[in-house]
Structure formats: C-alpha cells, structure tokens
Amino acid sequence: MRAEERMEEQPLRLLVADDDEVDRLAVRRALLKTGLSAQLVEVGDGTAALAALLEQPFDCALMDFQMPGQDGLEVLRKARAALVETPIIMLTGQGDEHIAVELMKAGATDYLAKSALTPERLAHLLRQTLRLHEVQQQYRTFAEVLPHTIWTSRPDGVLDYISRRGYENNGIPTGDISQWQKAVHPEDLPRLMERWHHCLRTGEPYEVEVRLWQAGDTWRWYLVRALPMRDPRGRVIRWFGTNADIDDQRRAQERISRLQAVTAALSEAPTPRQVVDVIITQGVAALDAQAGAVCLMTEDGQTLELVSATESVRHLTRGLERIPLEAPLAVAEAVRDDKLVTYANREERDRRYPTAAGPGLPYEASAVMPLHGSRGVMGALVVNYSRPRTLSPDEQEFFLALARQGAQALERARLYEAAQQARIEAEGSESQLRDLLAERERMEATLQERDERLRAALWASGTGTFRWDIRTNGMEWDENLDQLFGLPPGRTVQTMEDVLPLVHPEDRAEVARRNEACAREGADFEMDFRVMRPDGRVHWLSSKGKTFVDANGSPLYMTGACVDITAQKQQEAKAHQLAEFERQILGIVSHDLRNPLSVIRISASVLLAREGLDERQIKSLTRIISAADRSTRLIRDLLDFSQARLGGGIPVERKKMDLFELARGVVEELAASHPEREVELAQEGEGAGEWDGDRLAQVLGNLVGNALQHSPPDTRVKVRCRGEAGEVFLEIHNEGAPIEGAILPDLFEPFRRGRHAGSGAGSVGLGLYITRQLVLAHGGGITVTSRAGEGTRFTVRLPRRAPTPPPLLVS
C-alpha cells in the first residue's frame, strides 16, 4: 500500500513530543484541519519521548527542539543510535539554518518552524515523510537480496543501517553497527577512515579498496563505494554505500603480476642453470615457502638429479643428489604420473611416504609440480613449508603456470646452449648443420626485427643514414636523408659527386676535403655544414661517419648519419648576438661615462675649495661630488660585471699582505663615515697571505656596508677575522629582520635587490654578485645564513695562496 493510500484509508499513529500544551494543541488542530485520521500519543519532555520511540512503533514523530530534561536533538541522536527507524520531524521555535543542518546530520527526516505550522504544510510534510520512509524500507528490502553488502549512514558519517549480508559475511555482531570497524584489516583502517572523513567534508563520492574479515577466519578484498543523497538545497542528508567482494579479481591481478615478473626474469636467464635458479627463487617467494629445489631427468630417463636447491635443502640432501624414478617419494611420483603432488602435514607425509618418515626433516608440508616440456616431463619443482600448509586453488594454478613457463624457458636455454655447442664442435655433421641453419634463421628473424626497430627509431628522431662504398663511389641513403636535403623520395643521390652540389657553397670545399681524407686515409667524418634546399632555404646538418678498412688498412666503406641542427644553430646565433649586445651596452655605459663624471667631480671639488661659499652652496657641491662618486662606483660595478660575465672572470693581482690589517683599515673607514653606528672587529690567528688587497677591500666594503644599511640603527655590526692553517675566514654579522626565503637562493645573482633595495642609493643589484666573483677569483667561497632571532651572517673563505695547477704530463 502506497503512503498516500495508507494515509487516506487507515489512521496514522503519531508521536507528539512538546513541553508546551498550547503547541501540542496547535498540532492537534492542524491535524484535524488536514482531514487526516491520526492516533496521537502526546508526551511533554525528552525522556518520555525517547522511551516512547524505543517501546512503541509510530508512523511518524513530531518533536519539539527544546524540551526539559533532554532536548529534541539529544533525543534524536539517542534514537538513531538505538537504530530507531521512525521518521522524525523536528519542530523549532525559529527557522535557524544552523540548527536545521545539525538536525539533518543527526538523522532528522525534516524540520518545521512552529511559526510556519499550517494544516497544508503539515499535511505536505507528513506525506513526504511517509513516502520517503516507504522508499527507504523498499530500498532496505531490496538491499537484503543483492549479492553486495548495502549500508547507509547519516550526514555525519555514523552508520545507521547495514544489510544482513554484512553481518553474516564480515562477522559484525547482529544489530551492533558500531562494531563495523573491527571487520576492517588493521593495516587498511587508517587509509579507509582518512578517505571517509575527506568525503564527509567535501561531499565527494567515496571509493576505497580494503580487506574485510570474512567468516571462515580469512581476509578478503572489497571495493567500498558510497554516494551522497542531497536535499533540494544541495545539503547531504544521507550516504548510500556498497561493499563489493573483489578478492578473486584482486588475486587474479596479483597472479598476473607475479607471472609477468617470472616471464621477465626467465627472459634474462640465457643458460639452463640460470633458468633453474629463477624457477626456485620465484617459486619459493611467490608461494610463501621456506625452501625449494629443482630435480631434472637424466638422459637415460631413469633417475632424477638434484640440480639446484636452497641452502637448507642442499644441506639435508648431501649424498642423495640422485633419486631413482621408482623411489617411493613425492618428487618421483609427480614425475612418474605427471601431476601435482602435495602433502599438508608431517602425518600425511609419513603415511604416504614411509621412507621419508623421521624427525630429521624440518619441513611439515611440501608441494611438487612436474616440469612438462614439449617432449614430456623434464623434471620437477619442489617447495617445502616448515608448518602445515594446504595450497589453495589459486596457488595451485600459479604453481602450474610457473612450472609451465619454467619448462619452456629451460627448453629454450637448452636449445640455445646446444646450438652454441654445435657451432663450435659439430660443423661437419649434417644434422648439426640443420640445427645451425635453423638457429641462423631464428637469428636472422631477430636481426630483421631489430633492424625494423632501428628504422622506426631513426624515422621518429628525424635521423638520416647513409653508406658510401669508397671502392665504387656508390652512395646508399634512406628517405630521411631525402627529407633532410629537401629532395623527393627516390634514387636522387647515387654517388658522392651527387651530394656535393647540395652543400652550401661556403662549406662545400671543406666537406670535399674531409671526404678525400676518409677515402685516402680511412679517417672518420664529423662536421656541421649547411645545405641548400631546392626551395632556397638553408638548413644546418650535423653529420658523423665511420670508415671501415680491410686487413691492409685500405678504406672499404663508410656508414654514418645526419640530423638537422638548424634550430640549435639559430639559438646559438641569437645567444651570440645577445652577448655581443650586452658587451657593447656595458662598454658604452662603463667607459664613455667615466670622463664626464671625472670632469664633474674635479670641477665640483675646485669650486668647493673656494672661499666665501655659503652653506647652501657647500651642500650642493658636496651632493654633486657624492653623486659623482656613486656613479663612479656604479661604473666600476658594471665593468666588473662585464668582465665576470663576458670576459671569463675578474682578474686579481696577488701580493703578500696581512688581511687583518686590511680589515682593520676598512672597518675604521666605515665606522668614521657612520659615526652613529657601532662596528665591532674581532681577530683570531694569523692574517698573512697572498691576495689582491684592493679587491678584498671592495669585498669587505660591500659586505659591511650592506650590514650597516640593512640593520636597525641601534644595533651593532660584528666583523670577525679568523686565520686557520691554509685559509682565512671573514664573518660579517648584523641583526634585524631576516632575508626573505624566496630571495635567499638567488641573493648572489646579478640585478637582484633585497627588501631594502630602495634605500641603497646608486645600487643596481650588482654588489653581492661582484663580491662573490671576487671571492671566487681568489679561489674561495662565500655563504649566507639568515634566520629570525639570529640575524644575517655572511661567511667568506679565502685560501692564503693561489691553488697550484696540476703538473703537465710530457710524453
């Protein structure tokens, strides 16, 4: 019976929970006006409402949000936790959206503000609620007959339903949904919960593969999926999920992966011994065994010979390496009957194979699979277990596939070994000759395949190949070379003389000269040259050729390849033009500005020396001299930058000196020009060495000047000089905010300016770059650390003397 028909034909059993008699009366009146027949059970507090829901069945419950004892939200949560399925409509005093969301998350079917309580609205809600409840009941009935486990949860992720199959298959206590996490494998539970919480936050569909406990004391893989159900406003009101058993598919994939690994390992084992070792290694590992061995039939077909085994098996079978085929043992039985032979425990082994009985064998269980080749059984693979064990059907299938592949690989290895031996020892035998011819055909097929692969690779990379027969002057080349030279496909080039007219006139003579050297002396060819295509375009080609000679050293032929390097040459030309442009610009800026700046400074100095100047004139002339000095320093930096970037480094003139005295002079000069700041100098050890004093004064001046510029005015700048055995270290430290992390890696690059760059008048961001180049020119190094609370520290390392170049080897 549908919900609408039920409402019309029989009374509804409704629970009304509200502590206000007036509100309960309003509900009764609204129900009366709807014309619906209803049996009402009224309670006045939350405790009574919860008791009624737990004890009696209702078609629907209308519950006040605020009630004494327990409010409606608390009653709702406890009822849903107790798996009460009664639809519950919450009555609120106000239409608070936040409250509505909490109610829906807790499991409310819907909510209604008391101010909006009308007969029409109430009737609509009841019909909608009963219809939804009816659909849910149909869904759950349908879920019970599906082959998957079906479950639902509230919007907050708490499960409120799981189909019967979930209780039966996964060992969840009947009716106790809260225990579902115990059915998840401990290693998979964190991953499952992390993904579940993510989907609850975002509303994304849920999907994860995990292992679930299976009745019968085992774990099986399941695909867990869930989709959210939303209300008209897009809010998640319920999650619907399924657990699908994918264990068989998963294990099939694992078997395929293991067999692929076996195939790859066997393909790299060319000899029978290596093949046998792979069979043992893969079999023991894949079947989770503790030991293994391979026995092969002898040529007479009467005996099995132990050819390879794990260390423990070799120790136990020492002196028993040959087993008669009629021996009452599992390995002999498997070979005789060509079938899988297993025993699951020691008792079964002793009963079936009494000759193997005894306490000396440490293995409880064993499995033997015959190695069946194209000509019959070749031997057997044995795996041993230290505990009782029965192979599952999947493991038996894998065991069979492993033995089949191993036998095929062993046959291939034997054939290859026989062919090799035949080529060496039996070339005069007709049968051996047939084997050699067959092997040759196989090798030719392989070479043809490789040749096709090489052609495909050359075509894909745009590489053209050629062969020049020096004796006949005949030329063979492929279609790629036709394309590189801009020629139509075909026999357009047949001799070397046909090639030279295609070469650019400026490169033609050199190409011809090198070709003559190859033909005369057997030299190899390597050259970049230009070609003129028929459409007038010029392209660059890079060509390499190898010349082969006979026993007397006479050149026979050359093989080689060509590739188009036009784009590379264009990039090199652009880079050269850019470098030349930089050199010209820096030359103009650096050299052509020095003379006018010198005139400006000298003229300002002469004017400043005159008597009778007022204070304003003196300040103006002083600013002119200062600006000229800054401009001169900028020019010096640009010259140094030009020398470092375009001239291969800044030259230094080393002289014997005391670096400590130099540091003291630089610090005193900077302290005098910054009387408001304190600069502390500390020295340890000796400062003697060979350096360029002017350049190191520039280094110290840049670093100490930066420290003064970028530190708070009331802090101290520390300069420390420390002499060690072969090196001297300079450390400049200042306090204040650290250098930004994004700037720090590129601090010594040119044209980089820090956070206070604007305060450094005359700076173009070359100071630290030139400082580093000067340190490198002395064979030293410079580093910087900058952290909050620790300040910024530059450390310069300078060898006392120039590095000694390695001695020249004179032959």
Side-chain angles (χ1 to χ4, degrees):
M1 182 180 297
R2 298 183 58 188
E4 292 82 354
E5 297 173 353
R6 181 182 174 188
M7 292 174 65
E8 298 296 335
E9 295 183 7
Q10 66 183 32
L12 297 178
R13 183 171 173 78
L14 304 179
L15 172 66
V16 179
D18 198 317
D19 61 324
D20 192 332
E21 173 61 31
V22 175
D23 290 339
R24 294 203 302 271
L25 178 60
V27 171
R28 289 197 300 271
R29 290 176 176 175
L31 282 171
L32 184 61
K33 291 182 180 180
T34 62
L36 297 176
S37 177
Q39 295 178 359
L40 299 184
V41 175
E42 299 184 15
V43 294
D45 57 66
T47 303
L50 180 60
L53 287 171
L54 294 175
E55 296 173 0
Q56 305 176 46
F58 294 97
D59 292 315
C60 185
L62 302 172
M63 188 179 305
D64 187 15
F65 176 72
Q66 294 184 349
M67 291 186 294
Q70 301 183 66
D71 62 19
L73 181 59
E74 185 177 0
V75 172
L76 175 63
R77 287 172 174 166
K78 289 182 178 180
R80 294 309 186 214
L83 302 182
V84 173
E85 300 180 2
T86 300
I88 299 176
I89 300 175
M90 299 299 298
L91 302 175
T92 63
Q94 52 188 356
D96 192 328
E97 186 72 16
H98 175 72
I99 294 176
V101 171
E102 289 298 317
L103 292 173
M104 300 304 289
K105 286 184 177 180
T109 306
D110 211 328
Y111 72 97
L112 177 64
K114 293 182 180 180
S115 58
L117 180 62
T118 63
E120 295 78 11
R121 178 61 176 161
L122 182 59
H124 174 73
L125 274 180
L126 287 174
R127 289 189 176 91
Q128 178 176 291
T129 298
L130 292 178
R131 189 181 306 116
L132 177 60
H133 184 63
E134 180 182 9
V135 170
Q136 289 177 343
Q137 292 300 108
Q138 292 175 353
Y139 160 78
R140 294 185 177 183
T141 301
F142 178 68
E144 296 298 331
V145 300
L146 289 177
H148 303 322
T149 297
I150 312 297
W151 53 270
T152 62
S153 84
R154 303 199 310 249
D156 59 0
V158 176
L159 265 65
D160 55 10
Y161 169 74
I162 186 169
S163 64
R164 172 179 50 82
R165 193 174 299 275
Y167 293 110
E168 296 175 352
N169 288 356
N170 305 125
I172 302 174
T174 304
D176 192 357
I177 297 180
S178 62
Q179 301 297 315
W180 68 267
Q181 295 187 19
K182 295 182 179 180
V184 183
H185 196 286
E187 296 178 2
D188 300 339
L189 184 58
R191 175 167 53 85
L192 178 145
M193 295 305 298
E194 179 183 0
R195 181 61 185 169
W196 181 229
H197 290 314
H198 171 78
C199 293
L200 291 176
R201 291 193 306 271
T202 62
E204 298 176 2
Y206 178 69
E207 182 172 320
V208 66
E209 293 184 7
V210 295
R211 287 165 289 182
L212 298 181
W213 183 253
Q214 189 75 12
D217 295 341
T218 186
W219 296 98
R220 291 184 66 85
W221 283 97
Y222 279 80
L223 175 62
V224 182
R225 289 175 170 171
L227 290 175
M229 176 181 178
R230 304 177 185 273
D231 63 10
R233 284 174 280 185
R235 297 174 304 187
V236 176
I237 59 175
R238 183 165 296 279
W239 287 84
F240 293 88
T242 63
N243 299 349
D245 189 330
I246 60 169
D247 195 75
D248 292 338
Q249 300 94 306
R250 183 91 177 212
R251 294 186 185 278
Q253 292 174 356
E254 291 176 355
R255 289 198 303 273
I256 292 173
S257 298
R258 289 201 301 267
L259 287 175
Q260 289 174 344
V262 171
T263 303
L266 290 174
S267 66
E268 298 177 359
T271 67
R273 177 65 190 212
Q274 291 173 323
V275 169
V276 169
D277 290 342
V278 169
I279 295 173
I280 293 177
T281 303
Q282 295 290 340
V284 171
L287 295 171
D288 196 22
Q290 283 70 54
V294 169
C295 297
L296 297 180
M297 292 275 288
T298 57
E299 292 184 2
D300 59 9
Q302 301 299 316
T303 307
L304 290 172
E305 183 179 3
L306 181 66
V307 296
S308 183
T310 56
E311 182 62 32
S312 58
V313 173
R314 284 197 298 268
H315 174 72
L316 292 171
T317 58
R318 190 165 293 136
L320 302 173
E321 287 82 6
R322 298 176 71 86
I323 303 172
L325 195 59
E326 298 303 323
L329 296 173
V331 63
E333 180 183 345
V335 173
R336 288 195 310 268
D337 299 341
D338 191 11
K339 67 177 183 179
L340 171 67
V341 174
T342 66
Y343 53 82
N345 50 56
R346 188 186 302 270
E347 291 75 15
E348 183 182 359
R349 180 199 67 191
D350 295 346
R351 175 175 51 81
R352 293 170 54 186
Y353 311 105
T355 58
L361 294 178
Y363 304 116
E364 288 271 350
S366 183
V368 186
M369 179 66 75
L371 300 173
H372 196 110
S374 60
R375 298 182 180 180
V377 179
M378 307 166 59
L381 169 61
V382 184
V383 292
N384 300 315
Y385 297 91
S386 58
R387 296 180 180 179
R389 175 71 183 272
T390 300
L391 294 184
S392 67
D394 289 340
E395 291 173 325
Q396 293 182 18
E397 183 179 345
F398 172 78
F399 202 5
L400 175 61
L402 172 64
R404 185 184 301 115
Q405 288 197 9
Q408 294 173 356
L410 188 58
E411 279 193 324
R412 288 196 301 268
R414 284 179 170 179
L415 287 173
Y416 177 79
E417 194 173 58
Q420 293 289 94
Q421 188 69 20
R423 281 197 300 268
I424 298 173
E425 299 178 354
E427 294 186 16
S429 170
E430 182 179 355
S431 62
Q432 291 171 338
L433 181 59
R434 284 197 299 267
D435 292 340
L436 285 173
L437 291 175
E439 179 66 18
R440 180 178 178 180
E441 290 177 359
R442 288 194 294 269
M443 294 298 294
E444 287 177 350
T446 302
L447 291 175
Q448 182 180 0
E449 181 182 356
R450 292 180 179 176
D451 186 53
E452 292 174 354
R453 291 179 180 176
L454 177 60
R455 286 199 186 100
L458 292 175
W459 177 84
S461 62
T463 302
T465 61
F466 63 87
R467 185 181 187 275
W468 175 33
D469 191 326
I470 297 175
R471 295 167 299 180
T472 64
N473 199 29
M475 176 69 72
E476 298 178 3
W477 68 5
D478 57 17
E479 293 183 358
N480 285 350
L481 272 180
D482 287 335
Q483 187 174 7
L484 292 177
F485 278 81
L487 302 175
R491 295 285 293 171
T492 54
V493 174
Q494 300 184 22
T495 66
M496 182 58 73
E497 283 70 20
D498 296 334
V499 178
L500 291 177
L502 305 175
V503 179
H504 194 281
E506 296 178 7
D507 298 336
R508 194 173 297 157
E510 180 63 18
V511 171
R513 186 187 68 78
R514 297 196 183 195
N515 285 339
E516 291 174 2
C518 298
R520 183 178 63 255
E521 306 168 4
D524 293 334
F525 185 91
E526 183 172 355
M527 180 180 176
D528 296 344
F529 58 87
R530 290 164 291 177
V531 297
M532 294 286 296
R533 292 190 173 182
D535 59 4
R537 291 184 298 172
V538 177
H539 277 248
W540 277 93
L541 300 183
S542 178
S543 178
K544 290 185 179 180
K546 174 69 176 178
T547 302
F548 294 86
V549 299
D550 60 16
N552 299 322
S554 299
L556 298 176
Y557 61 91
M558 176 199 293
T559 60
C562 298
V563 294
D564 193 317
I565 58 170
T566 304
Q568 175 185 338
K569 289 292 186 180
Q570 291 173 346
Q571 292 176 355
E572 291 175 356
K574 290 180 180 179
H576 178 74
Q577 293 175 358
L578 180 60
E580 184 62 27
F581 178 74
E582 289 182 4
R583 186 181 292 108
Q584 293 174 358
I585 291 297
L586 290 174
I588 293 172
V589 172
S590 301
H591 293 285
D592 295 351
L593 286 180
R594 271 189 168 178
N595 290 336
L597 286 174
S598 299
V599 172
I600 292 172
R601 193 186 191 288
I602 293 173
S603 299
S605 299
V606 170
L607 292 174
L608 186 62
R610 291 184 177 180
E611 298 180 355
L613 298 177
D614 57 30
E615 183 178 354
R616 183 176 60 82
Q617 292 172 328
I618 292 174
K619 287 184 178 180
S620 297
L621 291 172
T622 302
R623 283 197 295 270
I624 292 173
I625 294 173
S626 177
D629 289 341
R630 287 198 302 273
S631 299
T632 301
R633 287 194 298 272
L634 290 176
I635 292 174
R636 181 196 64 190
D637 288 347
L638 289 172
L639 283 173
D640 287 342
F641 172 72
S642 176
Q643 187 68 30
R645 287 289 292 268
L646 306 176
I650 301 176
V652 295
E653 297 181 5
R654 293 179 178 268
K655 295 180 181 179
K656 292 184 179 180
M657 58 171 292
D658 190 324
L659 186 57
F660 287 6
E661 293 183 2
L662 175 70
R664 187 180 301 110
V666 172
V667 170
E668 290 176 355
E669 180 180 346
L670 288 170
S673 61
H674 296 79
E676 76 284 357
R677 300 296 300 276
E678 180 179 358
V679 183
E680 178 185 295
L681 175 64
Q683 297 177 338
E684 302 175 14
E686 297 293 333
E690 296 178 359
W691 299 289
D692 188 326
D694 292 338
R695 289 303 194 177
L696 292 188
Q698 185 178 349
V699 169
L700 271 171
N702 282 344
L703 295 177
V704 178
N706 280 349
L708 290 169
Q709 178 182 346
H710 298 303
S711 59
D714 57 345
T715 60
R716 178 187 308 170
V717 174
K718 298 179 181 179
V719 180
R720 183 187 179 197
C721 304
R722 175 167 48 87
E724 295 187 358
E727 298 173 323
V728 176
F729 291 86
L730 304 177
E731 295 181 359
I732 296 87
H733 173 265
N734 65 272
E735 301 177 10
I739 302 173
E740 290 91 337
I743 297 175
L744 203 58
D746 300 327
L747 195 63
F748 294 103
E749 294 301 315
F751 307 110
R752 297 293 195 273
R753 306 178 70 185
R755 62 184 185 282
H756 303 307
S759 63
S763 170
V764 292
L766 290 176
L768 289 178
Y769 171 77
I770 293 172
T771 297
R772 182 173 182 269
Q773 294 301 316
L774 292 174
V775 173
L776 294 176
H778 282 84
I782 181 171
T783 59
V784 59
T785 59
S786 186
R787 300 184 182 90
E790 299 180 8
T792 300
R793 184 186 309 276
F794 286 85
T795 302
V796 177
R797 177 185 58 81
L798 296 169
R800 293 185 184 271
R801 291 171 180 79
T804 303
L808 297 176
L809 299 178
V810 180
S811 58

